[in-house]
């Protein structure tokens, strides 16, 4: 199982955002929507062995974590609004500290980064990391930031973790996921 | 200069589509929007050395070609609606057989694939091609199809062109562009 954790620093934690304004009213929810689709969707197929977790943290005192499971997901199309609609529905679901399913393959709970890090040993996917092509083996969980850098508090939580980079130029989070998955695909299929 | 040509088989050729329904009313315009952003946008930066041409062909007798120039583009944000709005504005611009600028860095003209192929010797980016990582050098113009396969008539036009693949699994067109650009970046920066 491969897993991506994405931090949405300004991402809305209630379902009140507009699907017509994912960047503004959603707090750059468009970035997170693209991360979901790049993690889980192939052309006319799904990546059933991938999970994508979003941390929505516009209110850092009360963040939400969403989990998208490639093995179970339904109603996810490649356009941003489709993922946005699933996120909106999840945020309209009453939840506690345990994941609760809001639609097939989509789960929500209270809590943010710290809980995820306790559950999943992970590596950072960041511009300053080691080249993924030169890694003998790749971790199965990666954490990425949205359009913003990790905050000092996040960097403290992530200190000591291995860090990997997908290439020499700064990419969007969804683009970095796409390149990482290409490397994983190639290793699995001996396309090296 | 690197250039991507993308065929939008059902893509709307007038500006009447809704930004709230790019897949439906736009004829999978969402696919083309993502191709524009994956071609031209880096994280907080532009790919000034890349151009992206879209062929909108919902009416194959009267297609339109749009050109997005990374060196000149303005008002392009990473979300799909942003590219969609630029496409919509271009389609509302009266044009002839020569490119006419509809907004900074965005041009439109009448005509479709045949004209582009006369102007740009190109290679096909497709699942059945040769692995890009093993190519001694890469072409500077690639043609891709949207979510549909090339039609028999298109295959005839493309017959004899070199074909390249980015990996072992079938990707969306925008994902394939992202992986190809990563390979180009790596070669340029000696990250091989």
């Amino acid at each position: 199982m491969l897993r991506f954790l994405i931090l949405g620093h300004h991402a809305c934690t209630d379902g009140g955002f507009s699907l017509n304004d994912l960047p503004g009213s959603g707090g750059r929810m468009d970035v997170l929507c693209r991360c979901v689709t790049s993690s889980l969707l192939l052309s006319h197929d799904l990546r059933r062995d991938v999970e994508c977790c979003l941390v929505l943290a516009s209110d850092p005192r009360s963040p939400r974590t969403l989990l998208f499971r490639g093995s179970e997901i339904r109603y996810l199309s490649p356009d941003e609004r489709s993922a946005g609609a699933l996120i909106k529905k999840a945020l309209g679901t009453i939840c506690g500290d345990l994941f609760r399913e809001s639609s097939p393959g989509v789960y929500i709970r209270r809590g943010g980064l710290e809980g995820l890090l306790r559950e999943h040993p992970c590596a950072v996917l960041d511009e300053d990391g080691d080249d993924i092509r030169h890694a003998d083996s790749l971790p199965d969980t990666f954490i990425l930031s949205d359009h913003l850098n990790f905050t000092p508090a996040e960097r403290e939580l992530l200190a000591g973790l291995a860090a990997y980079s997908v290439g020499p130029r700064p990419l969007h989070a969804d683009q970095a996921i796409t390149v990482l998955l290409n490397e994983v695909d190639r290793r699995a299929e001996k396309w090296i």
Side-chain angles (χ1 to χ4, degrees), chain A residues 36-43 45-47 73 76-79:
Chain A
V36 171
T37 53
S38 64
S39 298
L40 302 189
L41 295 188
L42 290 159
S43 180
D45 203 359
L46 286 165
R47 292 188 180 273
I73 191 92
L76 177 65
S77 299
D79 60 301

Side-chain angles (χ1 to χ4, degrees), chain A residues 1-4 6 29 32-33 35-37 39-40 47-56 65-76 82-91 99 102-108:
Chain A
M1 179 65 68
L2 195 59
R3 191 176 292 107
F4 296 101
I6 301 108
M29 197 67 85
L32 303 184
C33 292
C35 287
V36 171
T37 53
S39 298
L40 302 189
R47 292 188 180 273
R48 292 178 182 79
D49 55 350
V50 179
E51 290 183 355
C52 180
C53 287
L54 308 179
V55 175
L56 314 184
T65 299
L66 272 68
L67 163 64
F68 293 76
R69 284 204 173 120
S71 58
E72 302 171 11
I73 191 92
R74 291 188 65 184
Y75 314 124
L76 177 65
S82 172
L86 294 177
I87 292 171
K88 200 172 162 75
K89 184 167 184 195
L91 289 174
F99 276 123
S102 56
S103 56
V106 185
Y107 301 80
I108 184 165

Side-chain angles (χ1 to χ4, degrees), chain A residues 23-34:
Chain A
S25 72
R28 292 310 305 274
M29 197 67 85
D30 62 308
V31 178
L32 303 184
C33 292
R34 289 193 298 278

Side-chain angles (χ1 to χ4, degrees), chain A residues 5-185:
Chain A
L5 320 178
I6 301 108
L7 301 187
H9 291 92
H10 297 167
C12 200
T13 53
D14 65 65
F17 66 90
S18 166
L19 293 178
N20 297 342
D21 183 20
L22 293 169
S25 72
R28 292 310 305 274
M29 197 67 85
D30 62 308
V31 178
L32 303 184
C33 292
R34 289 193 298 278
C35 287
V36 171
T37 53
S38 64
S39 298
L40 302 189
L41 295 188
L42 290 159
S43 180
H44 306 291
D45 203 359
L46 286 165
R47 292 188 180 273
R48 292 178 182 79
D49 55 350
V50 179
E51 290 183 355
C52 180
C53 287
L54 308 179
V55 175
L56 314 184
S58 64
D59 178 357
R61 292 161 306 177
S62 182
R64 295 287 184 280
T65 299
L66 272 68
L67 163 64
F68 293 76
R69 284 204 173 120
S71 58
E72 302 171 11
I73 191 92
R74 291 188 65 184
Y75 314 124
L76 177 65
S77 299
D79 60 301
E80 287 169 14
R81 280 177 74 95
S82 172
L86 294 177
I87 292 171
K88 200 172 162 75
K89 184 167 184 195
L91 289 174
T93 303
I94 294 169
C95 65
D97 296 336
L98 299 178
F99 276 123
R100 182 173 175 195
E101 192 167 28
S102 56
S103 56
V106 185
Y107 301 80
I108 184 165
R109 73 178 181 196
R110 292 176 180 273
L113 177 60
E114 295 192 33
L116 278 177
L117 290 180
R118 275 194 300 273
E119 292 162 351
H120 303 296
C122 71
V124 180
L125 204 57
D126 198 15
E127 293 154 35
D128 301 325
D130 297 330
D131 185 355
I132 54 169
R133 287 200 192 177
H134 294 159
D136 288 336
S137 65
L138 291 169
D140 56 15
T141 303
F142 290 91
I143 185 163
L144 300 86
S145 186
D146 55 4
H147 61 299
L148 301 174
N149 291 328
F150 292 113
T151 64
E154 288 161 359
R155 288 210 173 270
E156 205 164 297
L157 285 171
L158 303 176
L161 299 183
Y164 294 88
S165 169
V166 299
R169 301 195 73 179
L171 301 187
H172 289 155
D174 63 298
Q175 295 172 330
I177 290 171
T178 296
V179 176
L180 189 279
L181 284 169
N182 176 256
E183 179 67 20
V184 171
D185 291 343

